[in-house]
């Protein structure tokens, strides 16, 4: 909920453009497409969008252009999930904790034969306020400040589950 205050005060820039790049550098995060990064210390895939990539989402109106916004997010998530297999992670599986929206995209990729995963456990139900607000511009937050539909979307509780994504073995080049 603190992120709402940061967003309304325009301080989200400090988090998104200054703090997060420093965290990425210190902990050696590796980008996996637009939407995710690999955190090697915990062997986890985490939602992590760079400041320059956020511009794509912030240009869209999350309420008036709901379907276009949703489709843009879906395509970014899909390409980012597909990039996980090509990332040369030296493990046979990696953990991702995500909501049903991303899970539905993971299922599509499973059916296409791009991604293999299994549910490890149901984590909990929680609100993903900062994750959603990160995709919305500050101007849109002020525009929809009194809009019930906007706040229902932002404050809606999401079922979060933990999955193990099975990675293909890394091909090692051998010299004869």
């Amino acid at each position: 909920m603190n992120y709402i205050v940061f967003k309304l005060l325009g301080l989200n820039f400090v988090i998104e453009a200054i703090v997060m790049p420093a965290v990425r550098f210190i902990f050696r995060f590796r980008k996996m497409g637009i939407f995710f990064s690999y955190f090697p210390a915990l062997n986890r895939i985490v939602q992590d969008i760079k400041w320059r990539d956020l511009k794509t989402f912030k240009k869209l109106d999350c309420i008036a252009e709901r379907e276009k916004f949703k489709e843009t997010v879906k395509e970014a998530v899909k390409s980012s999930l597909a990039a996980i297999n090509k990332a040369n992670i030296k493990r046979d599986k990696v953990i991702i904790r995500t909501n049903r929206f991303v899970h539905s995209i993971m299922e599509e990729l499973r059916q296409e034969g791009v991604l293999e995963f299994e549910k490890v456990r149901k984590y909990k139900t929680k609100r993903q306020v900062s994750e959603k607000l990160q995709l919305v511009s500050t101007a849109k937050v002020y525009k929809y400040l009194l809009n019930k539909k906007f706040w229902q979307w932002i404050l809606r509780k999401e079922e979060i589950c933990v999955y193990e994504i099975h990675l293909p073995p890394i091909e090692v080049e051998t010299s004869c």
Side-chain angles (χ1 to χ4, degrees), residues 14-168:
V14 174
I15 296 170
E16 295 167 359
I18 298 170
V19 174
M20 281 311 297
V23 169
R24 280 186 208 107
F25 178 75
I26 292 167
F27 292 106
R28 299 180 184 170
F29 279 53
R30 288 177 38 201
K31 284 301 290 173
M32 305 288 152
I34 292 174
F35 242 80
F36 301 109
S37 284
Y38 175 63
F39 184 33
L42 296 177
N43 192 36
R44 290 187 182 267
I45 300 293
V46 294
Q47 181 176 324
D48 178 31
I49 306 170
K50 288 186 176 181
W51 176 253
R52 65 174 150 63
D53 295 329
L54 284 172
K55 293 176 188 174
T56 306
F57 306 107
K58 290 183 177 189
K59 289 179 185 175
L60 298 172
D61 191 323
C62 59
I63 299 295
E65 301 174 297
R66 181 74 181 138
E67 289 306 313
K68 185 176 180 182
F69 180 80
K70 198 173 181 179
E71 194 59 37
T72 304
V73 171
K74 182 178 179 178
E75 288 305 313
V77 170
K78 193 172 188 176
S79 67
S80 298
L81 284 169
I84 292 170
N85 279 339
K86 301 172 188 165
N88 290 330
I89 297 173
K90 295 176 172 73
R91 308 264 181 123
D92 58 344
K93 52 186 145 185
V94 67
I95 303 293
I96 186 169
R97 186 173 61 189
T98 192
N99 61 24
R100 284 186 184 207
F101 178 75
V102 175
H103 175 260
S104 68
I105 298 167
M106 290 169 61
E107 280 294 339
E108 283 181 28
L109 291 171
R110 177 190 286 189
Q111 292 172 357
E112 294 172 12
V114 175
L115 193 68
E116 284 300 320
F117 66 93
E118 65 183 80
K119 186 175 182 177
V120 177
R121 68 181 180 277
K122 182 177 178 180
Y123 183 62
K124 59 182 168 182
T125 304
K126 71 174 223 166
R127 291 181 171 90
Q128 293 186 304
V129 175
S130 60
E131 290 89 340
K132 292 176 184 172
L133 279 177
Q134 188 178 23
L135 301 175
V136 180
S137 70
T138 305
K140 297 291 187 286
V141 173
Y142 277 111
K143 179 179 178 181
Y144 294 116
L145 196 57
L146 301 175
N147 185 312
K148 183 180 176 183
K149 190 175 182 179
F150 175 76
W151 289 107
Q152 283 176 337
W153 172 60
I154 295 293
L155 298 173
R156 180 181 64 217
K157 286 189 176 184
E158 303 281 350
E159 181 182 297
I160 309 296
C161 295
V162 178
Y163 301 93
E164 283 183 346
I165 297 176
H166 301 281
L167 301 173

